[in-house]
Amino acid sequence: MPSIACDCETCLSDDPRDKRLRASILIEHEGKTILVDTSSDFRQQALRAKIKFLDAVLITHCHVDHVFGLDDIRPLNFKYGAMPVYANEPAWRDLRRIFKYIFEPNHVGGGLPQLIPHMVYNNAPFSIGDIEVTPLEVIHGKLPVIAYRFNDFAYATDLNFISDETIDGLQGLDVLILDCVRFRPHPTHLGLDESLAYIERIKPKRAFLTHINHDIMHTRDSKLLPENVEFSYDGLVVIDKD
Ligand SMILES: [Zn+2]
Ligand SMILES: [Zn+2]
Ligand SMILES: [Zn+2]
């Protein structure tokens, strides 16, 4: 936001929290730095967050807004070599098609991003350094998308359905970041009431809503939320005190 060619109240807002780039998070923990999704705004976000190094990139799913910055990992490749990238099978299938040139051994011209592809499976934890990462499947329209759990923190965006099994996998969280695209229900995302209903079942200590569109204005609408739930915003830093 603002949305192209829109003159609504949110798109015209002066509040920096109503200026939103595409959804993505950076995790710094136990000496590791992990990026979830190389959004189509990745370059701008990486410069703003002063990213100097990434241990790994995790992909939630292969939609344009979450992966079209992938080519911009090249400066990190030039400095540090190939980047471990984690994604599920449908995401790899689409990444290999959309970024065909990356995977062509005889590609001529231009510096290529260098990836070390890793496949992730629902509920099959893997480690990045000392951090245990658990991929948990959620449903985005018809597409299986990966929510990632890191200890007592989880990131679940681009979904309109969470299975009982994944709800079980999300118990005991300090922090949950959850999809909430607008007030009304949406065919592939959660509307606000649906997000709040899932938060009641998952019971994190704190929840932050993300992937918000211009229906929701940060300050005007924050009063609609329960005490432990907030709208996230660009540049938000969540510190786990434990
Ligand atoms: Zn608007
Ligand atoms: Zn998205
Ligand atoms: Zn999506």
Side-chain angles (χ1 to χ4, degrees), residues 82-110:
M83 177 76 68
V85 178
Y86 294 76
N88 68 0
E89 197 278 325
W92 277 122
R93 201 175 48 222
D94 287 343
L95 285 167
R96 285 178 188 280
R97 179 175 52 80
I98 294 166
F99 292 97
K100 190 163 177 273
Y101 62 95
I102 296 180
F103 301 95
E104 275 181 348
N106 300 320
H107 174 84
V108 178

CSV table of all heavy atoms in Angstrom, one decimal, residues 82-110:
chain,number,residue,atom,x,y,z
A,82,ALA,N,26.8,-19.8,-2.5
A,82,ALA,CA,25.4,-20.3,-2.7
A,82,ALA,C,24.6,-20.2,-1.4
A,82,ALA,O,25.1,-20.4,-0.3
A,82,ALA,CB,25.4,-21.7,-3.2
A,83,MET,N,23.3,-19.9,-1.6
A,83,MET,CA,22.4,-19.7,-0.5
A,83,MET,C,21.5,-20.9,-0.3
A,83,MET,O,20.8,-21.3,-1.3
A,83,MET,CB,21.5,-18.5,-0.9
A,83,MET,CG,20.4,-18.1,0.1
A,83,MET,SD,21.1,-17.3,1.6
A,83,MET,CE,21.6,-15.8,0.8
A,84,PRO,N,21.4,-21.4,0.9
A,84,PRO,CA,20.4,-22.5,1.2
A,84,PRO,C,19.0,-21.9,1.1
A,84,PRO,O,18.7,-20.9,1.7
A,84,PRO,CB,20.8,-23.0,2.6
A,84,PRO,CG,22.1,-22.4,2.9
A,84,PRO,CD,22.3,-21.2,2.0
A,85,VAL,N,18.2,-22.6,0.3
A,85,VAL,CA,16.8,-22.1,0.1
A,85,VAL,C,15.9,-23.3,0.4
A,85,VAL,O,16.1,-24.4,-0.2
A,85,VAL,CB,16.5,-21.5,-1.3
A,85,VAL,CG1,15.1,-21.1,-1.5
A,85,VAL,CG2,17.4,-20.3,-1.6
A,86,TYR,N,14.9,-23.1,1.2
A,86,TYR,CA,14.0,-24.1,1.7
A,86,TYR,C,12.6,-23.8,1.1
A,86,TYR,O,12.1,-22.7,1.3
A,86,TYR,CB,13.9,-24.2,3.2
A,86,TYR,CG,15.2,-24.6,3.8
A,86,TYR,CD1,16.3,-23.8,4.0
A,86,TYR,CD2,15.3,-25.9,4.3
A,86,TYR,CE1,17.5,-24.2,4.6
A,86,TYR,CE2,16.5,-26.3,4.9
A,86,TYR,CZ,17.6,-25.5,5.0
A,86,TYR,OH,18.8,-25.9,5.6
A,87,ALA,N,11.9,-24.8,0.6
A,87,ALA,CA,10.5,-24.7,0.1
A,87,ALA,C,9.9,-26.0,-0.1
A,87,ALA,O,10.6,-27.1,-0.1
A,87,ALA,CB,10.5,-23.9,-1.3
A,88,ASN,N,8.6,-26.1,-0.2
A,88,ASN,CA,7.9,-27.4,-0.3
A,88,ASN,C,7.8,-27.7,-1.8
A,88,ASN,O,8.3,-27.0,-2.7
A,88,ASN,CB,6.5,-27.4,0.3
A,88,ASN,CG,5.5,-26.4,-0.3
A,88,ASN,OD1,5.8,-25.8,-1.3
A,88,ASN,ND2,4.3,-26.4,0.2
A,89,GLU,N,7.3,-28.9,-2.1
A,89,GLU,CA,7.3,-29.4,-3.5
A,89,GLU,C,6.6,-28.6,-4.5
A,89,GLU,O,7.2,-28.2,-5.5
A,89,GLU,CB,6.8,-30.9,-3.5
A,89,GLU,CG,7.2,-31.7,-4.7
A,89,GLU,CD,6.2,-31.5,-5.8
A,89,GLU,OE1,5.0,-31.2,-5.6
A,89,GLU,OE2,6.7,-31.5,-7.0
A,90,PRO,N,5.3,-28.1,-4.2
A,90,PRO,CA,4.7,-27.3,-5.2
A,90,PRO,C,5.5,-25.9,-5.4
A,90,PRO,O,5.5,-25.4,-6.5
A,90,PRO,CB,3.3,-27.0,-4.6
A,90,PRO,CG,3.1,-27.9,-3.4
A,90,PRO,CD,4.5,-28.4,-3.0
A,91,ALA,N,6.1,-25.4,-4.4
A,91,ALA,CA,6.8,-24.2,-4.5
A,91,ALA,C,8.1,-24.4,-5.4
A,91,ALA,O,8.4,-23.6,-6.3
A,91,ALA,CB,7.2,-23.6,-3.2
A,92,TRP,N,8.8,-25.5,-5.2
A,92,TRP,CA,10.0,-25.8,-6.0
A,92,TRP,C,9.6,-26.0,-7.5
A,92,TRP,O,10.3,-25.6,-8.4
A,92,TRP,CB,10.7,-27.0,-5.5
A,92,TRP,CG,11.7,-26.7,-4.4
A,92,TRP,CD1,11.7,-27.2,-3.1
A,92,TRP,CD2,12.7,-25.7,-4.4
A,92,TRP,NE1,12.7,-26.6,-2.4
A,92,TRP,CE2,13.4,-25.7,-3.2
A,92,TRP,CE3,13.2,-24.9,-5.4
A,92,TRP,CZ2,14.4,-24.9,-2.9
A,92,TRP,CZ3,14.3,-24.0,-5.2
A,92,TRP,CH2,14.9,-24.0,-3.9
A,93,ARG,N,8.4,-26.7,-7.7
A,93,ARG,CA,8.0,-26.9,-9.0
A,93,ARG,C,7.8,-25.6,-9.8
A,93,ARG,O,8.2,-25.4,-10.9
A,93,ARG,CB,6.7,-27.8,-9.0
A,93,ARG,CG,6.4,-28.5,-10.3
A,93,ARG,CD,5.2,-29.4,-10.1
A,93,ARG,NE,4.1,-28.6,-9.5
A,93,ARG,CZ,3.3,-29.1,-8.6
A,93,ARG,NH1,3.4,-30.3,-8.1
A,93,ARG,NH2,2.3,-28.4,-8.1
A,94,ASP,N,7.1,-24.7,-9.1
A,94,ASP,CA,6.9,-23.4,-9.7
A,94,ASP,C,8.1,-22.5,-9.8
A,94,ASP,O,8.3,-21.8,-10.8
A,94,ASP,CB,5.8,-22.6,-9.0
A,94,ASP,CG,4.4,-23.3,-9.2
A,94,ASP,OD1,4.2,-24.0,-10.2
A,94,ASP,OD2,3.5,-23.0,-8.4
A,95,LEU,N,9.0,-22.6,-8.8
A,95,LEU,CA,10.2,-21.8,-8.8
A,95,LEU,C,11.1,-22.2,-10.0
A,95,LEU,O,11.7,-21.4,-10.7
A,95,LEU,CB,11.0,-22.0,-7.5
A,95,LEU,CG,10.4,-21.2,-6.3
A,95,LEU,CD1,11.1,-21.7,-5.0
A,95,LEU,CD2,10.6,-19.7,-6.4
A,96,ARG,N,11.2,-23.6,-10.2
A,96,ARG,CA,12.0,-24.1,-11.3
A,96,ARG,C,11.4,-23.7,-12.7
A,96,ARG,O,12.2,-23.5,-13.7
A,96,ARG,CB,12.1,-25.6,-11.2
A,96,ARG,CG,13.0,-26.1,-10.1
A,96,ARG,CD,13.1,-27.6,-10.0
A,96,ARG,NE,13.8,-28.0,-8.9
A,96,ARG,CZ,15.1,-28.1,-8.8
A,96,ARG,NH1,15.9,-27.8,-9.8
A,96,ARG,NH2,15.7,-28.4,-7.6
A,97,ARG,N,10.1,-23.5,-12.8
A,97,ARG,CA,9.5,-23.0,-14.0
A,97,ARG,C,9.7,-21.5,-14.2
A,97,ARG,O,10.2,-21.1,-15.2
A,97,ARG,CB,8.0,-23.4,-14.0
A,97,ARG,CG,7.3,-23.0,-15.2
A,97,ARG,CD,5.8,-23.5,-15.2
A,97,ARG,NE,5.1,-23.1,-13.9
A,97,ARG,CZ,4.6,-21.9,-13.6
A,97,ARG,NH1,4.7,-21.0,-14.5
A,97,ARG,NH2,4.0,-21.7,-12.5
A,98,ILE,N,9.4,-20.8,-13.2
A,98,ILE,CA,9.4,-19.3,-13.3
A,98,ILE,C,10.8,-18.8,-13.4
A,98,ILE,O,11.1,-17.9,-14.2
A,98,ILE,CB,8.7,-18.7,-12.1
A,98,ILE,CG1,7.2,-19.0,-12.1
A,98,ILE,CG2,8.9,-17.2,-12.0
A,98,ILE,CD1,6.4,-18.8,-10.9
A,99,PHE,N,11.7,-19.4,-12.6
A,99,PHE,CA,13.2,-19.0,-12.6
A,99,PHE,C,14.0,-20.0,-13.4
A,99,PHE,O,15.1,-20.4,-12.9
A,99,PHE,CB,13.7,-18.8,-11.2
A,99,PHE,CG,13.1,-17.6,-10.5
A,99,PHE,CD1,12.0,-17.8,-9.6
A,99,PHE,CD2,13.5,-16.3,-10.7
A,99,PHE,CE1,11.4,-16.8,-8.9
A,99,PHE,CE2,12.9,-15.3,-10.0
A,99,PHE,CZ,11.9,-15.5,-9.1
A,100,LYS,N,13.5,-20.4,-14.6
A,100,LYS,CA,14.1,-21.5,-15.3
A,100,LYS,C,15.6,-21.2,-15.5
A,100,LYS,O,16.4,-22.1,-15.4
A,100,LYS,CB,13.4,-21.6,-16.7
A,100,LYS,CG,13.7,-22.7,-17.6
A,100,LYS,CD,12.6,-22.9,-18.6
A,100,LYS,CE,12.9,-24.0,-19.6
A,100,LYS,NZ,13.8,-23.6,-20.7
A,101,TYR,N,15.9,-20.0,-15.8
A,101,TYR,CA,17.3,-19.6,-16.1
A,101,TYR,C,18.3,-20.0,-15.0
A,101,TYR,O,19.4,-20.3,-15.2
A,101,TYR,CB,17.5,-18.1,-16.5
A,101,TYR,CG,17.1,-17.2,-15.4
A,101,TYR,CD1,18.1,-16.6,-14.6
A,101,TYR,CD2,15.8,-16.8,-15.2
A,101,TYR,CE1,17.7,-15.8,-13.5
A,101,TYR,CE2,15.4,-16.0,-14.2
A,101,TYR,CZ,16.4,-15.4,-13.4
A,101,TYR,OH,16.0,-14.6,-12.4
A,102,ILE,N,17.8,-19.9,-13.7
A,102,ILE,CA,18.7,-20.2,-12.6
A,102,ILE,C,19.1,-21.6,-12.6
A,102,ILE,O,20.2,-22.0,-12.2
A,102,ILE,CB,17.9,-19.9,-11.2
A,102,ILE,CG1,17.6,-18.4,-11.1
A,102,ILE,CG2,18.7,-20.4,-10.0
A,102,ILE,CD1,16.9,-18.0,-9.8
A,103,PHE,N,18.2,-22.5,-13.1
A,103,PHE,CA,18.4,-23.9,-13.0
A,103,PHE,C,19.0,-24.5,-14.3
A,103,PHE,O,19.1,-25.7,-14.4
A,103,PHE,CB,17.1,-24.6,-12.6
A,103,PHE,CG,16.6,-24.1,-11.3
A,103,PHE,CD1,15.6,-23.1,-11.2
A,103,PHE,CD2,17.1,-24.7,-10.1
A,103,PHE,CE1,15.2,-22.7,-10.0
A,103,PHE,CE2,16.6,-24.2,-8.9
A,103,PHE,CZ,15.6,-23.2,-8.8
A,104,GLU,N,19.3,-23.7,-15.3
A,104,GLU,CA,19.8,-24.1,-16.5
A,104,GLU,C,21.4,-24.1,-16.5
A,104,GLU,O,22.0,-23.0,-16.4
A,104,GLU,CB,19.4,-23.2,-17.7
A,104,GLU,CG,18.0,-23.7,-18.2
A,104,GLU,CD,17.5,-22.8,-19.4
A,104,GLU,OE1,18.1,-21.7,-19.6
A,104,GLU,OE2,16.6,-23.2,-20.0
A,105,PRO,N,22.0,-25.3,-16.5
A,105,PRO,CA,23.4,-25.3,-16.4
A,105,PRO,C,24.2,-24.6,-17.5
A,105,PRO,O,25.3,-24.1,-17.2
A,105,PRO,CB,23.8,-26.8,-16.4
A,105,PRO,CG,22.6,-27.5,-17.0
A,105,PRO,CD,21.4,-26.6,-16.8
A,106,ASN,N,23.6,-24.5,-18.7
A,106,ASN,CA,24.3,-23.9,-19.8
A,106,ASN,C,23.9,-22.4,-20.0
A,106,ASN,O,24.1,-21.9,-21.1
A,106,ASN,CB,24.2,-24.7,-21.0
A,106,ASN,CG,24.7,-26.1,-20.8
A,106,ASN,OD1,25.8,-26.3,-20.2
A,106,ASN,ND2,24.0,-27.1,-21.3
A,107,HIS,N,23.3,-21.8,-19.1
A,107,HIS,CA,22.8,-20.4,-19.2
A,107,HIS,C,24.0,-19.5,-19.6
A,107,HIS,O,25.0,-19.6,-19.0
A,107,HIS,CB,22.2,-20.0,-17.9
A,107,HIS,CG,21.8,-18.5,-17.9
A,107,HIS,ND1,20.6,-18.1,-18.4
A,107,HIS,CD2,22.5,-17.4,-17.5
A,107,HIS,CE1,20.6,-16.7,-18.3
A,107,HIS,NE2,21.7,-16.3,-17.7
A,108,VAL,N,23.7,-18.7,-20.6
A,108,VAL,CA,24.8,-17.8,-21.1
A,108,VAL,C,24.4,-16.3,-20.7
A,108,VAL,O,23.3,-15.9,-20.9
A,108,VAL,CB,25.0,-17.9,-22.6
A,108,VAL,CG1,26.0,-16.9,-23.1
A,108,VAL,CG2,25.4,-19.3,-23.0
A,109,GLY,N,25.4,-15.6,-20.1
A,109,GLY,CA,25.2,-14.2,-19.8
A,109,GLY,C,24.5,-13.9,-18.5
A,109,GLY,O,23.7,-14.7,-18.0
A,110,GLY,N,24.9,-12.8,-17.9
A,110,GLY,CA,24.3,-12.4,-16.6
A,110,GLY,C,24.7,-13.3,-15.5
A,110,GLY,O,24.9,-14.5,-15.6
